[in-house]
Amino acid sequence: MTVSIIPVTTLFEEVSRYHPNPDLKILEEAYNFALKAHDGQVRASGEPYINHLIETALLVCKLKLDIPSVVAGLLHDSIEDCNTTKKSLSEKFGEDIAEIVDGVTKLTRVQFDSREEKQAESFRKMLIAMAKDIRVVLVKLCDRLHNMRTLSSLSEEKRRAIALETKEIYAPLANRLGIHWIKSELEDLCLLHLRPEIYHHLVAELERTNPDREIFLKETADEIQKKLEDSGVSAQVLGRVKHISSIFSKMEKDSLSFEEVMDVIGFRVLVSSVRACYETLGIIHSNFKPIPGRVKDYIAMPKPNMYQSLHTTVISSRGARVEVQIRTADMNRIAEEGIAAHWRYKEGGSSLGFDLGWVKDLVETQAYLKNPDEFIQSVKGELFPEDVFVFTPKGDLFRLPSNSTPIDFAYTIHTDVGHQTIGARVNGSIVPLEHRLSNGDTVQIITQRGHVPSKDWLRFVVSGKARQRIRAFLKTEEQARSISLGSDILAKDLRKVKLSLKKLEKEGKIKTIAESMGLKAEADLYAAIGYGKVSSPKVVAKLLPSEPGVEQKLTEVESSPLQRIFQRAAKASRDRVGIKVSGLDDVLVRFAKCCEPLPGDRIVGFITRGRGVTIHASHCSEILNADPLRYIPVQWDSEIARPRRVSIVVTSQDQLGILAKMTTAITSNGINIVSASMKTSPSGKAVNQFELEVSDAKQLDGLKRSLELLPGVIKVDRIVGGEK
Ligand code: MN
């Protein structure tokens, strides 16, 4: 296939659309530079590589960014793919452009690995890039959007990997930055490549129902327009069909079929002032019946990505539910372009006028976090915000993550306020500390000097800050306890061989042992013993190298018949679950009820008090709330494969023969059915519960996918912990 190279004039035209006097010379230089640098390179589609760069630059133009950003769009792959250096770019195009290209290159190299530590590190790099210069991330988003548009020529495996990364990172990022058009297109493309059957099904459904909808759209838009005109409000009314991905997420969220997703259509009313927005809302409500609880005022309380609009859902004259968004032209621009609306060529340098505080917060707080899972959780929490706004008694406004409690609020004010909280009043009434705050609440915190945080709080706090501060406090406390416990145990074992811990400590011998085990100080060694991570007899043996057999002697002392029974039970427990626990032989192992990990899932062990090690999935919220010092690395023992019982619930349309199709799907995945039951709900849906024997997480995932492909199936859920 031969495709011609996009001429530079296309770029000139695009830039001139929004820029009054663009520096076309530097654009042409960059164009020629890229042309030369990527000479002979072709994309998987057979297209010349340069076209990817021009298309990226054109997308940057669509964001109406400054010239350095457009140039960086043209040059964004030159460091990665050609023998160009940052230095030579800087000499040719200036420091500013070289920095952006370098930033994009670094982001391109970031692999969002599935391993938590690496993923956390990747997120951190991205956040730092954002905090430094937001243009880096905007150019990267354009690059990614064009890559997603041209994904089809890649192998299935690559396509899925890129689409997954886009879904998990770049689409949420575009959303968080408020760039709606990029977000929607990325999400639609992700659905196309990750769930093609669903995507094509929805496209077909939309097409099938389209003629009718077109008429309805026009009728309703005209009707709204007329009512507004009658009341003297001039407005532009636009009807639109929602994005496929947003229709699908609605179907998934509320387990609806396509027919049941009523608000496939939305209307947008653009008016001239904020006042007219509220007037319009009133006029619409007096002419169409509003659905209670669906009015949202994002004008008074903008979303964290700056989005402003009034939302309401009303019953149209045809009886269908439609969503109406009311906003000014300025608000509309911000809704579509988000942060890019603030980063225009004309604004030049530094001032952003956009709240990137959350980025800086995350970059700073990550230093507190040893557990990468938790960091990822905080980032994801920030990327998928649903914030709640509350007031202090003095009327200061605070933004908190949704489901925040008075404790979260207290820690937002100050760490000491958080630590010393003993109670809270919301809108004047005393509430429990785990009370979930709502928009507009006035919150008053009651403190008591000397009060300390409770471990219990970790069960219900939701903000990263509160969680970190509470844990930091508990960690210090718990560590002190473990140190004293560990030094007691060691002193006792040393007494058995007539040695004194105090004396050895004075002679510096304990420190030497600690260092030989990679620990910094005596206290770390005691803590490790206290936690059960290091065995005290082993330490004693190391202190007495001249007397072989001490470890055995000490172990023998403890190896009572009961002890031996315990050791056998411990071995049996590990064999039963098929887990290897690093460094510990005599430990009981069981799966956590909260997450019931399957072979192949990423797992972590947790040392419980007196009940051995519990195995959790590493993303399990229980484990994220637990003390990381009690984590212990564990692995699946691949030699022991035992089928595991799992329960799944398949929600489907109540159709003839659908159960038979499901059972066929299950057995053809090589999975054994232990039991099955089916219930029909009054709404015409069937709830099918299966108990199955699967060998690992991969097999279950494969099954989920084939079930979801069956026509009529709405969703598939795994049930853990015996409840749903
Ligand atoms: Mn690229």
Side-chain angles (χ1 to χ4, degrees):
M1 177 170 81
T2 48
V3 178
S4 56
I5 292 175
I6 305 168
V8 73
T9 45
T10 311
L11 194 57
F12 289 171
E13 279 163 26
E14 207 54 39
V15 173
S16 308
R17 261 177 218 276
Y18 66 94
H19 204 301
N21 54 342
D23 181 355
L24 297 181
K25 202 169 134 265
I26 194 168
L27 277 179
E28 183 155 28
E29 266 168 40
Y31 180 93
N32 290 330
F33 182 91
L35 207 55
K36 217 170 119 204
H38 296 273
D39 184 34
Q41 294 178 7
V42 284
R43 307 192 82 211
S45 60
E47 216 180 325
Y49 198 87
I50 180 77
N51 278 3
H52 164 62
L53 306 166
I54 304 165
E55 294 282 8
T56 302
L58 288 171
L59 288 169
V60 176
C61 290
K62 207 172 161 200
L63 286 176
K64 304 192 178 69
L65 296 189
D66 58 6
I67 299 298
S69 308
V70 182
V71 172
L74 285 170
L75 301 176
H76 79 264
D77 280 329
S78 61
I79 295 184
E80 187 66 16
D81 296 341
C82 319
N83 290 324
T84 309
T85 60
K86 184 182 166 191
K87 194 163 161 279
S88 66
L89 283 183
S90 171
E91 279 156 13
K92 209 163 164 45
F93 297 100
E95 188 69 18
D96 196 26
I97 289 169
E99 282 290 343
I100 305 176
V101 174
D102 186 51
V104 177
T105 308
K106 283 184 181 140
L107 274 189
T108 305
R109 285 181 189 155
V110 169
Q111 291 277 326
F112 287 91
D113 202 279
S114 56
R115 276 172 48 222
E116 285 84 359
E117 316 89 70
K118 280 193 77 183
Q119 204 184 16
E121 183 52 24
S122 313
F123 267 121
R124 202 178 63 84
K125 281 186 187 151
M126 170 132 82
L127 292 169
I128 289 171
M130 272 167 77
K132 234 172 117 191
D133 188 341
I134 190 68
R135 290 176 298 176
V136 168
V137 178
L138 296 176
V139 172
K140 182 67 203 169
L141 277 176
C142 294
D143 171 41
R144 178 50 58 106
L145 178 56
H146 186 247
N147 282 335
M148 284 297 294
R149 282 180 178 178
T150 51
L151 215 50
S152 304
S153 27
L154 298 183
S155 70
E156 152 108 37
E157 201 189 345
K158 271 195 175 160
R159 249 176 18 223
R160 287 193 66 89
I162 294 175
L164 207 61
E165 187 187 79
T166 304
K167 182 180 156 204
E168 285 182 348
I169 289 146
Y170 288 102
L173 192 62
N175 182 40
R176 191 61 167 87
L177 296 175
I179 311 165
H180 189 255
W181 65 274
I182 292 191
K183 174 220 163 205
S184 319
E185 192 177 338
L186 285 179
E187 281 180 348
D188 280 1
L189 288 166
C190 288
L191 189 64
L192 166 65
H193 290 285
L194 291 172
R195 311 283 293 272
E197 64 302 327
I198 288 171
Y199 182 89
H200 294 303
H201 169 70
L202 290 179
V203 170
E205 286 293 291
L206 280 175
E207 233 157 67
R208 183 176 65 79
T209 50
N210 191 46
D212 200 32
R213 190 170 38 242
E214 286 290 320
I215 299 167
F216 176 62
L217 268 177
K218 189 164 180 334
E219 258 179 31
T220 312
D222 287 349
E223 195 179 348
I224 296 175
Q225 183 106 45
K226 178 148 189 315
K227 301 275 186 211
L228 290 174
E229 267 166 25
D230 290 348
S231 311
V233 174
S234 72
Q236 192 187 355
V237 182
L238 307 163
R240 70 208 167 87
V241 177
K242 291 197 172 169
H243 281 270
I244 290 189
S245 53
S246 77
I247 296 173
F248 177 60
S249 70
K250 186 150 198 156
M251 286 168 63
E252 219 178 25
K253 194 170 119 237
D254 305 335
S255 52
L256 301 170
S257 67
F258 178 79
E259 281 76 16
E260 290 169 297
V261 183
M262 296 293 219
D263 25 17
V264 170
I265 297 175
F267 290 91
R268 189 167 290 161
V269 183
L270 299 183
V271 294
S272 58
S273 66
V274 171
R275 201 196 141 120
C277 288
Y278 289 100
E279 266 178 86
T280 303
L281 183 69
I283 295 163
I284 287 175
H285 280 185
S286 60
N287 286 287
F288 303 92
K289 191 171 158 13
I291 311 243
R294 292 295 302 265
V295 180
K296 292 193 188 109
D297 185 350
Y298 295 115
I299 293 181
M301 294 203 180
K303 286 192 188 181
N305 64 14
M306 307 265 295
Y307 177 88
Q308 285 189 299
S309 206
L310 296 176
H311 289 192
T312 184
T313 305
V314 297
I315 311 274
S316 74
S317 29
R318 275 215 211 167
R321 287 158 64 131
V322 292
E323 193 192 62
V324 185
Q325 302 174 341
I326 306 157
R327 53 174 86 142
T328 65
D330 275 349
M331 293 175 193
N332 194 42
R333 195 170 54 100
I334 288 172
E336 284 303 317
E337 298 172 19
I339 193 167
H342 293 264
W343 190 262
R344 287 291 161 76
Y345 65 93
K346 61 184 175 216
E347 288 185 48
S350 51
S351 115
L352 270 178
F354 193 89
D355 180 17
L356 278 175
W358 61 279
V359 176
K360 298 210 173 80
D361 277 356
L362 277 175
V363 173
E364 279 161 22
T365 52
Q366 62 85 30
Y368 287 81
L369 298 164
K370 288 266 162 55
N371 176 4
D373 260 321
E374 182 172 339
F375 177 59
I376 290 171
Q377 254 208 351
S378 327
V379 178
K380 287 194 172 154
E382 284 296 344
L383 287 179
F384 300 95
E386 283 274 332
D387 297 9
V388 29
F389 292 83
V390 296
F391 297 94
T392 65
K394 281 186 185 160
D396 294 328
L397 185 64
F398 278 84
R399 193 174 77 211
L400 299 168
S402 68
N403 285 325
S404 281
T405 63
I407 296 288
D408 292 289
F409 177 74
Y411 277 99
T412 309
I413 295 173
H414 196 276
T415 303
D416 288 339
V417 177
H419 283 350
Q420 300 182 10
T421 298
I422 55 161
R425 279 199 183 87
V426 169
N427 306 327
S429 319
I430 295 273
V431 296
L433 289 177
E434 60 254 59
H435 176 84
R436 304 289 170 192
L437 300 175
S438 320
N439 265 327
D441 279 350
T442 297
V443 189
Q444 185 187 358
I445 297 297
I446 306 161
T447 58
Q448 189 181 71
R449 191 178 284 251
H451 184 78
V452 295
S454 139
K455 193 176 175 183
D456 232 30
W457 293 359
L458 289 173
R459 272 193 309 109
F460 53 76
V461 295
V462 295
S463 61
K465 184 167 181 182
R467 185 177 306 252
Q468 284 151 24
R469 301 295 147 89
I470 297 167
R471 278 183 36 182
F473 182 88
L474 294 173
K475 196 169 134 187
T476 324
E477 228 192 9
E478 171 116 18
Q479 202 155 19
R481 271 205 305 273
S482 303
I483 290 170
S484 103
L485 178 66
S487 73
D488 283 355
I489 294 172
L490 184 59
K492 204 175 112 210
D493 282 345
L494 284 169
R495 274 202 297 277
K496 287 183 200 156
V497 294
K498 310 242 164 358
L499 283 177
S500 148
L501 177 63
K502 276 218 170 102
K503 201 163 153 255
L504 290 165
E505 203 175 84
K506 245 187 219 154
E507 293 165 2
K509 293 200 170 134
I510 304 288
K511 184 154 197 217
T512 317
I513 297 277
E515 281 165 355
S516 78
M517 301 175 88
L519 299 164
K520 267 193 224 127
E522 288 97 336
D524 299 320
L525 179 62
Y526 301 149
I529 295 172
Y531 278 120
K533 282 185 179 172
V534 167
S535 105
S536 163
K538 270 189 189 142
V539 176
V540 176
K542 282 194 183 173
L543 283 160
L544 289 172
S546 50
E547 267 189 59
V550 168
E551 186 187 351
Q552 198 192 351
K553 219 157 85 193
L554 279 168
T555 322
E556 265 168 20
V557 177
E558 283 167 5
S559 204
S560 62
L562 201 66
Q563 200 78 39
R564 282 197 297 276
I565 291 172
F566 176 76
Q567 278 166 7
R568 272 207 299 276
K571 167 109 177 55
S573 83
R574 287 196 304 281
D575 283 355
R576 194 175 57 245
V577 304
I579 292 282
K580 286 187 210 164
V581 180
S582 64
L584 288 180
D585 302 326
D586 50 353
V587 61
L588 281 167
V589 165
R590 62 192 182 92
F591 288 115
K593 283 270 181 293
C594 45
C595 51
E596 296 181 33
L598 291 177
D601 282 333
R602 286 194 295 276
I603 47 174
V604 62
F606 184 74
I607 307 172
T608 62
R609 282 182 209 273
R611 280 188 303 159
V613 170
T614 314
I615 311 297
H616 288 262
S618 61
H619 59 75
C620 171
S621 60
E622 292 283 321
I623 196 81
L624 287 171
N625 287 338
D627 180 357
L629 285 177
R630 293 184 170 274
Y631 289 2
I632 185 161
V634 291
Q635 288 94 39
W636 293 106
D637 189 343
S638 54
E639 280 163 30
I640 304 172
R642 300 238 181 281
R644 293 275 307 279
R645 286 258 169 115
V646 297
S647 294
I648 60 166
V649 165
V650 187
T651 313
S652 68
Q653 306 294 351
D654 188 11
Q655 286 166 6
L656 205 63
I658 195 159
L659 187 62
K661 279 185 210 141
M662 287 181 210
T663 45
T664 312
I666 294 169
T667 48
S668 63
N669 271 278
I671 293 171
N672 199 18
I673 302 177
V674 181
S675 71
S677 69
M678 182 176 189
K679 269 188 254 160
T680 344
S681 75
S683 62
K685 286 203 199 73
V687 179
N688 313 272
Q689 181 154 0
F690 296 95
E691 202 177 334
L692 309 169
E693 275 181 348
V694 301
S695 52
D696 53 26
K698 210 173 143 193
Q699 195 183 29
L700 183 61
D701 281 346
L703 171 65
K704 275 182 161 177
R705 221 165 307 141
S706 23
L707 285 172
E708 279 165 350
L709 290 185
L710 293 177
V713 167
I714 299 164
K715 61 171 182 168
V716 184
D717 295 305
R718 181 177 169 206
I719 302 175
V720 292
E723 34 135 26
K724 171 77 219 294

